[in-house]
Amino acid sequence: MTIKKVLLLSLFAFCFSFNLFSQVFDPVKWETKVEKISDTEYNLISIATIDSGWHLYSQSVPDNGPIPTGFSYTENENFELVGKTSEDEGQTVDDPIFQMKIKFFDSKAEFRQRIKVLNKELSLVEGEVEFMVCDDEKCLPPSYIDLQYNLKDAEVVEANSAEMSLDLTGATTNAMGSLEGILEPVKWSTSVEKINDSELILVSTATIDEGWKLYSQNVADGGPIPTSFDYTLKEGVTLVGSTNEEKGNESIDKVFDMKIKYFKNKAQFRQKIKISDATISKVVSEVGFMSCDDTQCTAPTYIDLEYDLTQTVAATTDMIASETEDDESSKGLWSIFIIAFFSGFVALLTPCVFPMIPMTVSFFIKQSQSKAKGIRNAIIYGLSIIVIYVLLGTIITAIFGADALNALATNVWFNLIFFILLVVFAISFLGAFEIVLPNSWANKADRQADRGGLVGIFFMALALAIVSFSCTGPIVGTILVEAASKGGIAPVIGMLGFSSAIALPFALFAAFPGWLNSLPKSGGWLNTVKVVLGFLELALAFKFLSQADLVLQLHVLEREVFIAIWIAIFGTLSLYLFGKIQLPHDSPLKHISVGRLLFGLLTLTFTIYMIPGLWGAPLKIISAFPPPLDYSESPYGVGNSKGGGSVSSTDIPEGAHLLAPHDILAFNDYETGLAYAKKVGKPVMLDFTGWACVNCRKMEQNVWVDPKVLSKLKNEVVLISLYVDEQIDFPEGEAPDSKLRPGKKLKNKGQLWSEMQTIKYKTNTQPYYVLMDHNEENLNEPVAYTPNIDDYNAWLKEGIANFKD
């Protein structure tokens, strides 16, 4: 006990002695009871009833604080303790006397200890509780009370009852599987809205604690875990569309370097369903989600929801959620339209389309009886082009479904298909071959165009679309691939933007034919535009291959490989623009234009900018394209020989790796890391973290880099980083049972580490750091987000010193 603590307790005892004979305080009354879990397992329950105004302190109190509550049990060969004594959630406040955060209880507190009975004749267990209480003016000296637990009077508790039960490590759980004392910043409720007898809306409402965020269903790769719904449907129930969500908030996250949509206070998610069997009374779903505040994030959490179809309220519209979805999706649709519109202008500059502008406009002007009629026909021609391409987008949406496209775009195999498609388009643009539609299609369209009138004009536009397909097809395909990631009517909007840009020149030049004289002459520059598009499509293709590789965790296209490919592509493009490389369809080049020179300088600059990425530079301009920094063959960059403290990069034990960018030897498996710690005689530091944990990255980037902290992490502890959001599934048939959700299987390693943290340490937030010895006993109190370097270093120093003692 420290001198400060002795002095404080002496002072309390001295003050207390002045009125000792005038009044005896007994503010805490203790009683016991026993719950029988099975023939061999019991819960010993100690209940403290606390007088008004008094505080009973937790079992876990920081050093130099008040005396913690402590339980000791008279052990013998008749029973054994299972885990540690658990306690209620209580309250945590900044204590003005001890000047620290202290957890305490008022009114009532309940403590539970599970035991395993080894002798069925055992009827009584004895124990002792040590505790200290204070009010706003005084504290009482530590008290010691004998407790007795009568097993013969135990209340039988069924394993699946709604009564409280204790898990194997002492954390209390209820029937729904949530642990007492564990943060639960998001509460879910359900309701059902009735549109008509066959159509309903399942409403999932999230109530979010103050200061916490719940993330959207749509989060880009590399961001936090999105909210998701998995509906279990009986025959007679079908989903209509996807689950819609409210508008929410959106901001740039500095750690993930991307815009992330989230909800605060409250959020509603709505799913329309169609019922063909009136006897169905309920639908169930599982919601997966993650929430964060400014200092911590919860592990990915999965909750079962139930929707009572017999209790409905009238829906005010056919789909109320569509209003909020439209507000949010309109931004994405506008971006698709703008990108497609500018892509249409690029397509105009290809050799298949550009020469058609003056030819077609002149035809309408000359063949029409008046200038006004010529302008009208050219406008109809332009509108026909729009109709043709919008019809294409509508057909694509109708075939695959408005929301299926989004699912396809995030699927591994369709990412691979998109990669192959874009590579084929790129090779076509580079001149290896042309993608053309059958000549018979163009001939039929030409014959129909001869009919004249509105029908003839429409078929002239169709003929243009068919003939120019070798140039426009790859661009159209790329737009449709990108639009697929948005889902909904994005393909239709994309084609509207693209075709509007194609059609606009025909209408304008028909209205102002004098402008035709200002158009540049057709020539080799048109093929140059086409080749440049080929290089850009080839670079874009590897984005889709990278997404598939990341999901499968194959580590085939790691960050260095991706950047090297882009350097090669844009470096070659620079050489092409400078005239050092010529392709089969290029015209002889005696000199390069100023525009070509400037564009060449731009691509060369971009190529040089990417080179440091091979040595670990973040490359923020293109951060959305290559894999993240930690998905790398060489975390410190190609050729970096940076050492790893006491472990060299050539002497890494099996199951370990060097954690970038600090070169710390780290394990991602608990048992493997613990075995290594025993072998080398060092304490273990458990790092409960997450790929999508913002404050985990802040700790690693801002605290771990400090020399005194980094030295301890590299040389004095064995780091085991357990990622609670690791999405790699267990092999089929090997998934363990969930301890928190009876009857459910764990989906992946992340859930295994999450349950371990929740059950063993009674917390579910990250970051969370534990220092423990080889017997898996804590060396000091675990800590969470600790941005103060000195505090974190002191914590490490204390735990390491306790291990050596």
Side-chain angles (χ1 to χ4, degrees), residues 163-432:
E163 296 294 326
M164 299 300 296
S165 62
L166 203 68
D167 73 19
L168 294 180
T169 60
T172 56
T173 65
N174 57 29
M176 295 301 292
S178 61
L179 272 72
E180 297 297 323
I182 298 302
L183 282 175
E184 193 180 359
V186 181
K187 282 82 175 177
W188 291 89
S189 60
T190 63
S191 60
V192 181
E193 294 179 354
K194 184 176 182 179
I195 300 172
N196 53 49
D197 289 341
S198 62
E199 292 182 309
L200 302 171
I201 299 173
L202 307 179
V203 183
S204 308
T205 303
T207 303
I208 308 161
D209 286 354
E210 185 69 29
W212 287 81
K213 299 176 183 177
L214 173 70
Y215 293 101
S216 165
Q217 298 174 97
N218 302 307
V219 175
D221 292 338
I225 299 296
T227 300
S228 62
F229 292 86
D230 182 11
Y231 298 90
T232 302
L233 303 177
K234 298 179 180 178
E235 188 175 350
V237 182
T238 55
L239 300 180
V240 180
S242 59
T243 302
N244 295 315
E245 63 186 27
E246 295 178 326
K247 186 174 182 180
N249 304 282
E250 195 171 39
S251 61
I252 294 288
D253 188 283
K254 294 181 180 178
V255 174
F256 293 108
D257 195 25
M258 64 174 68
K259 269 192 176 182
I260 298 178
K261 178 183 174 184
Y262 60 90
F263 306 99
K264 300 180 75 172
N265 301 322
K266 192 174 182 181
Q268 280 196 340
F269 301 83
R270 296 166 180 264
Q271 173 64 58
K272 188 176 181 180
I273 62 171
K274 195 166 186 178
I275 302 289
S276 58
D277 184 352
T279 63
I280 296 175
S281 60
K282 71 176 182 179
V283 172
V284 296
S285 75
E286 179 185 75
V287 56
F289 63 97
M290 173 180 177
S291 55
C292 297
D293 66 3
D294 292 335
T295 63
Q296 57 197 338
C297 293
T298 62
T301 306
Y302 299 88
I303 301 291
D304 292 324
L305 302 178
E306 185 173 299
Y307 309 86
D308 188 350
L309 305 188
T310 64
Q311 302 292 324
T312 63
V313 296
T316 55
T317 65
D318 282 355
M319 194 64 177
I320 298 174
S322 64
E323 297 174 5
T324 56
E325 182 191 36
D326 289 344
D327 289 339
E328 180 60 29
S329 63
S330 61
K331 295 179 182 178
L333 294 178
W334 270 111
S335 66
I336 285 289
F337 178 85
I338 292 170
I339 292 171
F341 186 79
F342 282 105
S343 299
F345 275 125
V346 173
L348 281 170
L349 302 179
T350 59
C352 311
V353 181
F354 186 80
M356 300 294 292
I357 298 174
M359 292 171 53
T360 305
V361 171
S362 298
F363 172 80
F364 282 122
I365 296 294
K366 293 176 182 178
Q367 295 297 318
S368 303
Q369 298 173 353
S370 64
K371 181 179 178 180
K373 190 171 182 181
I375 294 174
R376 187 201 68 176
N377 289 342
I379 292 174
I380 293 173
Y381 181 73
L383 291 174
S384 297
I385 293 173
I386 293 175
V387 169
I388 290 167
Y389 281 103
V390 170
L391 187 61
L392 173 64
T394 304
I395 292 171
I396 294 294
T397 302
I399 291 174
F400 291 101
D403 300 292
L405 282 170
N406 183 42
L408 295 182
T410 56
N411 180 277
V412 170
W413 300 109
F414 275 88
N415 270 293
L416 292 175
I417 291 172
F418 292 159
F419 165 72
I420 295 170
L421 277 176
L422 291 183
V423 169
V424 171
F425 292 159
I427 294 174
S428 171
F429 268 158
L430 293 175

Side-chain angles (χ1 to χ4, degrees), residues 605-617:
T605 302
F606 180 62
T607 303
I608 296 172
Y609 165 79
M610 289 189 291
I611 292 175
L614 297 174
W615 281 267

